[in-house]
Amino acid sequence: MSDPGLQPERTELAWQRTALAAAVAAVLLLRSGLTRGAPLDFAAAGCAAVVVVLWFVAVRRPPRTGSSRRVLAAASIAVAAAGVLTALQVVLLP
């Protein structure tokens, strides 16, 4: 049995976890880019940082119809781009 009254709180907690994970990934990618001189790591760190910014947008903006789907889609694209850039870095510049 679920309580629909808790859905917004669960959604907010999920966004917080995602933003925290993206922030940690961005810091680690920046560190890797600085120590190895890996340009694609910088780009991937930027994508991860976009997820953190989107979290702030999602939290600060009052809920509107369809806006959360657009923010979620943008966050998903940023995460996918960070993954692709990181994979390219490993393949192209070992």
Side-chain angles (χ1 to χ4, degrees):
M1 210 189 292
S2 69
D3 182 4
L6 295 177
Q7 183 60 41
E9 183 179 350
R10 288 193 301 263
T11 301
E12 175 61 27
L13 290 172
W15 268 103
Q16 286 177 358
R17 286 189 304 270
T18 301
L20 178 62
V24 169
V27 168
L28 292 175
L29 285 165
L30 279 175
R31 180 176 176 233
S32 173
L34 289 172
T35 58
R36 295 183 344 174
L40 291 179
D41 282 350
F42 288 116
C47 292
V50 166
V51 175
V52 177
V53 170
L54 288 172
W55 173 71
F56 279 112
V57 168
V59 169
R60 303 288 182 217
R61 176 185 289 174
R64 293 184 295 179
T65 306
S67 66
S68 62
R69 285 187 179 161
R70 287 191 294 268
V71 171
L72 181 60
S76 299
I77 291 169
V79 169
V84 167
L85 289 168
T86 303
L88 283 173
Q89 180 71 38
V90 170
V91 171
L92 297 178
L93 303 169

